[in-house]
Amino acid sequence: MPPLALSKFSQILIPMKPTRNSSSSTERPSSKKTVVSAASAEPNGKSAIRNSPSFTEPASSEKIVVSSVSAKRNGKSIASSATVMKPSAHASVATANPMNPVASSGLSSAHGEQVMLFRDVSLGPHEAEMRFRLIHLWEARNPNTKVLIGQKMLLIDEEGTVIQGFVPAGRVGTFELSAGSIYKLTNFFGSRSKYQYRVADHSATVSFSWNSSLSVLENPPVFFPVDRFRFHSYDEFRANCDSKGDLYDFVGHMKLVSGQTITDHIVLDEADISEKRHLCVHVQSLDGPVLKLYLWDQAASEFCQKFKSYGGTPSVLLVTTVNPKHLGGTLAITSMSSSRVFMDSDVQPTKDYLEWLSSNAEIANRIAAEVVTKPEAVTLEELFAYIKQETSKVAWFECTATIDDVVRGSPWYYISCGGCNSKAFKGPTSLICNNKKCVKNEVTGVPQYLTKISVYDKSEQAAFVILGDAGKELSGKHAAELVATYYESNEGVGADHCVPIPQALLDTIGQTRKFIVKVSDHNLSGKIQTITVTKILPLATTVPATSEEPGASSGLGNSAGDRARKAAEMLESSEAKRCKSG
């Protein structure tokens, strides 16, 4: 386990203390219970966590953090946080049965008013007043008909207890709800929470009824935590895969975004993401292998907005309420309609993770992101057989082939925008980026490989196109270096001169290499015959299987069609189906 425990990232965010009314001098009674028995009040009124060696942590590895508030003698309250684990038989944790209708009702007293706490919500109607912060709200629709079922919410009270709220479809719009606001509610119904896709530990849901009264709580007399996260490890996600049970949160660092290696110049194709309604991000946690995270609809849109908002490329990603399931034979996690997206400096857990990552850079480079999902090895004949199938989708394969020639008659490089690597063209006074989403005003041209080669194996011939870093892997030199060298040796040549194919590329003729190739939509539609090469390996190098998952394809069939069909199970794109969400 890495030196920084995962529980550091499981935190409640505490807001700034609100301004009190000068007339409110009544101290809050100290009858409020702290969740952890090891938290006690010191004589000076400050709350402390007793670091007793006899304190035993529960066996469960679920990490959460709750906030306790204690009263000082001057009437001001301070917030302290205590790390707690999921209760077990031997845990020294004070708990209450939230589903027992006859349980004693523990009420919070603030300014002389009695308030029901979430831990005391039971099944049935309630007339008591309840106070909470609205963390998040989202629409719940029928997954098949898309008919609105209601509005769901995530609520947190002053103790840091989280409960789910619900407004039936017929009452949606009746209440003015805004995430982050603090409310007081009277008259509600405690309904039983559904087992599937739960977003809170509490087994009851606060349902707004016909006589519910909701109003904003101005100048709250106590502090209300801003948020709470529940994190699961890789092993826990794998154990709960396809169970459709509780939805937990994930925090980790990004390896690939829509197939692109994390760099300072990633530009997201939002139009394509919007059309497909999802994007795939390869993520890695502190103590687990790389996972595929599929972000759908609103979560995908929120990801794009946050990703663009950072000056550089963000590293850390936190997604709430994700659903673990098998996709294409491997374990993946997918967002739900309740999911939220956070990055580097958005919340405390991402800040803590980023701080840890910056001092443990070797973890970020532990796995080669480009080969997280091992491409299936096929011959050129099998590759073409896959392309001809009507049911084929975008996929990556490994082909071992010999270079027959470097195609002449067309430029072997192009000038790219130094900001996003898109093609740049000449404007009236300077270069202009061809990518409308690129925000670079002044474009610096950088030569990039765009080299066509012909290859063959024992079964077939093919035309490959080498792009970007794959060209350096082939020739051993950057395209910019080769172009600069040519102009230095030919000073009288104009900028529009066609640079001949360099000897470094011609020397590769006759070499046998392993090519990682991508079958694109253009190949499947018949618009383009050339196959794009994304990575080139020496013949003696094998692609490491760094992210083997249960159920992954382990072999190929006898026919080319069977082998290609099984290879398609290794995809990271449209193989993922939209998961049903409530």
Side-chain angles (χ1 to χ4, degrees):
M1 179 68 185
L4 183 57
L6 186 61
S7 60
K8 181 176 181 180
F9 308 124
S10 309
Q11 300 194 8
I12 281 189
L13 308 181
I14 307 297
M16 296 296 293
K17 182 171 60 178
T19 304
R20 295 177 179 271
N21 295 329
S22 58
S23 59
S24 302
S25 59
T26 305
E27 290 189 3
R28 184 181 168 196
S30 59
S31 59
K32 176 183 173 188
K33 300 178 180 178
T34 54
V35 178
V36 183
S37 60
S40 60
E42 294 181 348
N44 60 3
K46 296 183 179 179
S47 173
I49 303 300
R50 185 169 63 247
N51 296 319
S52 170
S54 62
F55 178 74
T56 304
E57 289 187 344
S60 171
S61 55
E62 177 192 349
K63 280 75 172 186
I64 61 174
V65 169
V66 296
S67 173
S68 60
V69 180
S70 58
K72 296 179 71 176
R73 292 181 179 179
N74 60 5
K76 297 181 180 179
S77 59
I78 59 172
S80 63
S81 60
T83 304
V84 300
M85 313 291 278
K86 192 172 182 178
S88 61
H90 63 280
S92 178
V93 181
T95 60
N97 182 2
M99 295 306 296
N100 184 2
V102 297
S104 59
S105 60
L107 300 178
S108 169
S109 176
H111 293 277
E113 299 176 2
Q114 289 188 329
V115 180
M116 175 176 282
L117 299 171
F118 283 173
R119 59 183 168 84
D120 300 300
V121 174
S122 59
L123 297 181
H126 295 273
E127 297 180 355
E129 179 180 306
M130 190 163 56
R131 297 173 176 178
F132 56 84
R133 183 189 296 276
L134 173 56
I135 297 177
H136 183 48
L137 69 160
W138 65 97
E139 288 185 345
R141 293 184 177 272
N142 184 292
N144 298 318
T145 64
K146 305 303 178 184
V147 174
L148 181 66
I149 298 173
Q151 200 170 37
K152 291 188 176 182
M153 297 168 286
L154 199 61
L155 316 175
I156 188 168
D157 68 3
E158 61 191 73
E159 286 189 329
T161 305
V162 174
I163 200 169
Q164 187 169 319
F166 180 71
V167 179
R171 299 190 182 98
V172 171
T174 304
F175 307 96
E176 293 186 6
L177 299 169
S178 176
S181 297
I182 299 175
Y183 297 94
K184 58 181 179 180
L185 173 70
T186 56
N187 296 320
F188 62 92
F189 191 90
S191 57
R192 189 180 300 276
S193 294
K194 294 181 179 180
Y195 169 76
Q196 289 190 335
Y197 306 130
R198 288 200 320 172
V199 297
D201 294 326
H202 208 298
S203 51
T205 294
V206 174
S207 295
F208 287 42
S209 55
W210 65 274
N211 60 343
S212 293
S213 176
L214 181 75
S215 61
V216 175
L217 182 61
E218 303 289 351
N219 298 320
V222 295
F223 291 149
F224 286 84
V226 175
D227 210 334
R228 193 189 75 174
F229 302 98
R230 306 185 302 163
F231 296 117
H232 258 15
S233 67
Y234 169 80
D235 290 336
E236 290 167 323
F237 277 127
R238 184 171 59 181
N240 293 289
C241 189
D242 299 320
S243 66
K244 299 181 180 180
D246 280 21
L247 303 176
Y248 290 93
D249 310 327
F250 174 88
V251 62
H253 56 282
M254 293 178 278
K255 306 288 287 187
L256 295 175
V257 178
S258 292
Q260 304 176 71
T261 306
I262 290 294
T263 66
D264 292 333
H265 307 298
I266 290 182
V267 176
L268 300 176
D269 189 345
E270 295 184 62
D272 182 65
I273 293 172
S274 178
E275 180 181 355
K276 293 180 178 179
R277 296 178 44 240
H278 81 279
L279 64 85
C280 178
V281 184
H282 284 69
V283 290
Q284 183 179 3
S285 60
L286 298 182
D287 57 351
V290 173
L291 280 172
K292 292 177 183 178
L293 168 62
Y294 290 94
L295 300 175
W296 289 90
D297 298 327
Q298 180 60 34
S301 176
E302 188 175 352
F303 177 92
C304 291
Q305 293 175 6
K306 286 185 176 291
F307 197 91
K308 291 190 305 180
S309 68
Y310 279 82
T313 301
S315 302
V316 178
L317 178 64
L318 190 162
V319 182
T320 67
T321 63
V322 294
N323 180 35
K325 59 189 306 183
H326 280 108
L327 295 173
T330 61
L331 173 64
I333 50 179
T334 68
S335 70
M336 304 290 281
S337 57
S338 56
S339 295
R340 294 172 290 149
V341 176
F342 302 99
M343 294 185 184
D344 287 5
S345 59
D346 290 345
V347 290
Q348 194 60 45
T350 56
K351 293 178 183 178
D352 291 337
Y353 195 107
L354 185 63
E355 180 183 354
W356 177 88
L357 193 63
S358 62
S359 58
N360 294 271
E362 72 281 359
I363 300 297
N365 301 320
R366 187 169 55 190
I367 294 179
E370 297 87 344
V371 291
V372 166
T373 302
K374 182 180 179 181
E376 196 72 39
V378 296
T379 65
L380 295 178
E381 180 184 13
E382 292 166 341
L383 183 66
F384 289 136
Y386 176 79
I387 292 175
K388 293 177 181 178
Q389 295 179 10
E390 294 183 359
T391 57
S392 297
K393 301 175 182 178
V394 175
W396 283 259
F397 298 95
E398 176 192 301
C399 297
T400 299
T402 301
I403 300 173
D404 180 57
D405 198 4
V406 179
V407 178
R408 276 79 165 178
S410 60
W412 61 272
Y413 71 96
Y414 73 99
I415 301 300
S416 74
C417 167
C420 67
N421 291 337
S422 298
K423 189 173 183 179
F425 60 92
K426 285 187 176 181
T429 57
S430 62
L431 289 175
I432 300 175
C433 181
N434 194 46
N435 187 347
K436 296 180 180 179
K437 298 182 178 65
C438 182
V439 296
K440 288 285 185 179
N441 295 323
E442 296 182 2
V443 175
T444 302
V446 179
Q448 299 282 359
Y449 280 101
L450 179 62
T451 307
K452 294 181 181 179
I453 62 174
S454 59
V455 299
Y456 65 91
D457 62 8
K458 293 181 179 180
S459 65
E460 190 59 88
Q461 293 179 321
F464 286 172
V465 59
I466 312 295
L467 297 175
D469 292 339
K472 179 180 181 298
E473 294 165 351
L474 178 64
S475 67
K477 296 180 181 294
H478 287 286
E481 179 184 353
L482 295 175
V483 172
T485 300
Y486 176 81
Y487 280 109
E488 288 173 0
S489 302
N490 300 270
E491 296 181 359
V493 175
D496 294 333
H497 180 74
C498 181
V499 178
I501 297 174
Q503 191 62 40
L505 285 174
L506 295 175
D507 289 343
T508 64
I509 296 175
Q511 294 182 7
T512 300
R513 296 291 190 94
K514 285 186 178 180
F515 299 90
I516 307 301
V517 300
K518 176 184 179 181
V519 174
S520 67
D521 288 324
H522 295 298
N523 298 133
L524 299 175
S525 63
K527 295 180 180 179
I528 295 178
Q529 299 299 319
T530 54
I531 310 297
T532 300
V533 176
T534 60
K535 190 173 182 65
I536 301 176
L537 302 171
L539 184 60
T541 302
T542 58
V543 180
T546 56
S547 184
E548 293 293 335
E549 304 289 354
S553 176
S554 58
L556 297 174
N558 296 324
S559 68
D562 290 339
R563 296 181 67 177
R565 190 177 302 108
K566 288 188 177 181
E569 294 180 358
M570 308 298 291
L571 304 187
E572 65 167 319
S573 55
S574 53
E575 187 70 21
K577 296 181 179 179
R578 180 69 166 99
C579 54
K580 296 180 180 180
S581 61

